Amino acid sequence: MTISGMTPTAKLLQQLVRIPSVNPEGNPGVANPGEQACAEFIAKFLRQAGANVQLQPVFKNRPNVIGVFKPKGKINTRLLLAPHTDTVSVLGMSIDPFAAKVKGGKLYGRGASDTKGPMAAMLQAVKEFFVSDTFKNSGLEITFVGLMGEEAGNYGAHAWAKKCPAYDLAIIGEPTDFKIVHAHKGCAWLKFSTKGRAVHASTPANGRNAINAMLPVLAYVETILSKKISSFTHRQLGASTIVATVIHGGSKTNIIPDHCEIEVDLRFTPNLTVNKVLGFIRQDLKQAGLDATVSVISSSSALHTDANHQLIKKILPHSKGLTTAPWFCDAAIFGLRGIPSVALGPGSIKQAHTADEFIKLADLEKGKDGYLQILRALAVR
Ligand SMILES: [Zn+2]
C-alpha cells in the first residue's frame, strides 16, 4: 500500500476509468465514444513496461492495442491476455461514470468491473512479472491485447483472431470472481419470413394470407424443431433451446397481410452449430411443404475448452475453480480458431453494466496477485 492507500493497480484502474471508452453502437450516452484514447493510454503503459507495441486499426478511431513481452529464452509457450477496452453505455447511471471515486473500499465508475478492473490487474501483473528473473529465463511469451468492440459484434477479437499466432492459451479478462469460465452456450437470433398477396379484406379468397402461412411454421418451431434442438446437451450447460420471441405481420385491419415474420432466440451447446440448425430447418420446411424462408440476424459461437487441458490444470490451483457462464465473451472467438480459451478475472459480473458499477479494491488486488501466480506457473516448465 502506498501512503494514499491506493496500490499501483488501483491507481491504474482509476486512470483507465477516467478515460471514457464507451462502445459507440446504440446510444453511448457520451459525446466522444470509442476506444482510441484508452488504446493509446494502454500502448504507452505497455511500452514503458517493456513490450513491443502496435495498434491494429479495426474501425476509424477504434483500434486494438497489442503489446508483446518476449523472454530471453527460446519460446515454448505463447500466452494471450486479452480484456476489452470498450464499455457499455453510461445512460441511466446513478453515479459519475468517469470520476473513479473510491469509497468504502470500492472503486466506482463505468468499466470498473467490466472490464477495466480485470484489465488493470492484468497490466500490473505483467509489468511486475516482466522484470523478474523467472520471466527473463523462461520460454513464456506474453501478448497483451486490449480488444475494441466486445460489447457489440466482437469486432476486435475477430480482427485479431484472424491474424494472431496460434497461442497455447488465451485468458480473456472478464469479471468472473476469479473463476475460470471454460464453457458457455452460443446464441443466435433467426428470422422466419412468409410472403402473401395483399388484397381487400372483403375478398380474402383473392389474396394470400402471410399470417396464416406463418401459423404452421410457428407450430413447427415450438414442437418438432424445439425437440430436435433440445437433444443437443452439455454436461454443465444443459440442453440447447429455441423459442419464438417476436412476431410481426400485416399492415391494416382491412388488408390481407402480404408479409409475416417471427424472430427466434437459439441458445446452443458446443456440440451444435447455427449451420446445423439451418440445415434442419431448411430440410424440414421443404419436407412439410411450408413456403417460408429463414435467415440469421446475429450469431455468436459457443465456448468449450477442455477442463483437462494441461495448461488449464496448471493455472487452476491459482484460481477460484472452474465454472461455466450464461453470458458470451471474446473467449469464444479465439476458441473458434482452435486456441484453448477461457475467461478469468477479478470482480463480479453482478456489478457489470449496472447503474453504480464498482469493483472491490481488495478483489482487484487479489486478482493482480492471482494473475501473477498464473504467469509464474506458466513460466515454469
Ligand atoms: Zn466484458
Side-chain angles (χ1 to χ4, degrees):
M1 286 276 177
T2 57
I3 295 161
S4 67
M6 295 270 283
T7 62
T9 318
K11 282 185 180 167
L12 176 59
L13 173 57
Q14 199 165 45
Q15 287 175 293
L16 287 166
V17 170
R18 286 176 178 165
I19 304 170
S21 57
V22 183
N23 190 299
E25 291 193 35
N27 188 345
V30 290
N32 53 340
E35 299 90 339
Q36 184 80 31
C38 186
E40 279 170 14
F41 174 87
I42 294 166
K44 196 171 157 200
F45 182 95
L46 289 168
R47 232 172 258 129
Q48 283 172 353
N52 300 325
V53 180
Q54 64 171 110
L55 292 184
Q56 181 191 22
V58 182
F59 297 144
K60 190 165 184 277
N61 294 329
R62 302 187 63 194
N64 285 332
V65 52
I66 299 122
V68 183
F69 295 86
K70 286 196 184 295
K72 284 191 183 139
K74 189 170 176 285
I75 293 162
N76 56 33
T77 307
R78 285 195 162 87
L79 171 69
L80 173 67
L81 297 176
H84 57 86
T85 52
D86 61 326
T87 69
V88 289
S89 166
V90 300
L91 284 183
M93 285 194 82
S94 59
I95 53 163
D96 182 336
F98 310 118
K101 258 193 197 143
V102 175
K103 207 179 146 195
K106 298 169 182 169
L107 192 149
Y108 288 83
R110 182 52 91 222
S113 154
D114 185 8
T115 204
K116 290 180 174 177
M119 176 153 65
M122 273 182 171
L123 283 168
Q124 187 59 30
V126 180
K127 182 185 172 179
E128 290 178 20
F129 189 58
F130 181 71
V131 295
S132 71
D133 288 336
T134 314
F135 174 69
K136 283 177 194 156
N137 301 323
S138 77
L140 177 67
E141 182 188 76
I142 305 167
T143 302
F144 177 95
V145 181
L147 296 164
M148 55 70 74
E150 193 271 346
E151 297 289 1
N154 304 85
Y155 304 110
H158 281 292
W160 187 240
K162 236 179 248 170
K163 60 178 290 188
C164 73
Y167 298 109
D168 297 291
L169 178 67
I171 301 177
I172 304 304
E174 293 284 353
T176 67
D177 294 306
F178 224 70
K179 288 180 183 156
I180 296 174
V181 174
H182 72 110
H184 61 61
K185 283 183 187 174
C187 169
W189 292 347
L190 309 180
K191 182 154 93 178
F192 290 80
S193 309
T194 52
K195 293 256 174 290
R197 192 168 61 248
V199 294
H200 197 277
S202 62
T203 56
N206 294 343
R208 197 149 30 93
N209 189 320
I211 292 179
N212 286 353
M214 185 58 83
L215 295 179
V217 179
L218 185 56
Y220 157 72
V221 170
E222 295 294 324
T223 55
I224 297 168
L225 184 60
S226 172
K227 199 173 163 203
K228 234 177 230 185
I229 298 295
S230 69
S231 70
F232 290 85
T233 61
H234 180 274
R235 197 162 56 87
Q236 286 122 336
L237 300 172
S240 301
T241 58
I242 191 162
V243 62
T245 46
V246 175
I247 185 161
H248 295 292
S251 53
K252 205 163 183 291
T253 316
N254 62 355
I255 300 174
I256 296 298
D258 65 354
H259 68 276
C260 185
E261 285 118 34
I262 59 168
E263 293 178 14
V264 307
D265 179 287
L266 166 70
R267 304 284 159 149
F268 55 99
T269 45
N271 55 350
L272 186 60
T273 62
V274 178
N275 277 340
K276 211 184 253 182
V277 176
L278 290 176
F280 293 151
I281 293 170
R282 289 191 177 119
Q283 195 184 357
D284 291 344
L285 290 178
K286 200 172 162 196
Q287 228 165 45
L290 296 174
D291 190 13
T293 57
V294 62
S295 59
V296 180
I297 301 168
S298 72
S299 147
S300 49
S301 33
L303 171 72
H304 180 73
T305 297
D306 185 2
N308 291 316
H309 187 282
Q310 53 144 340
L311 293 184
I312 304 292
K313 279 181 163 167
K314 228 174 184 179
I315 69 171
L316 186 59
H318 310 291
S319 75
K320 292 262 160 53
L322 279 167
T323 191
T324 61
W327 40 265
F328 173 84
C329 76
D330 280 338
I333 314 296
F334 293 97
L336 258 190
R337 247 213 67 180
I339 297 168
S341 305
V342 296
L344 169 71
S348 167
I349 197 74
K350 284 187 203 126
Q351 271 87 51
H353 305 195
T354 55
D356 66 338
E357 182 170 352
F358 66 82
I359 189 165
K360 287 184 189 159
L361 290 178
D363 290 345
L364 180 74
E365 210 50 34
K366 276 186 223 154
K368 191 267 289 179
D369 292 340
Y371 284 137
L372 205 45
Q373 285 169 21
I374 282 172
L375 293 175
R376 278 193 207 111
L378 290 172
V380 176
R381 259 171 282 178

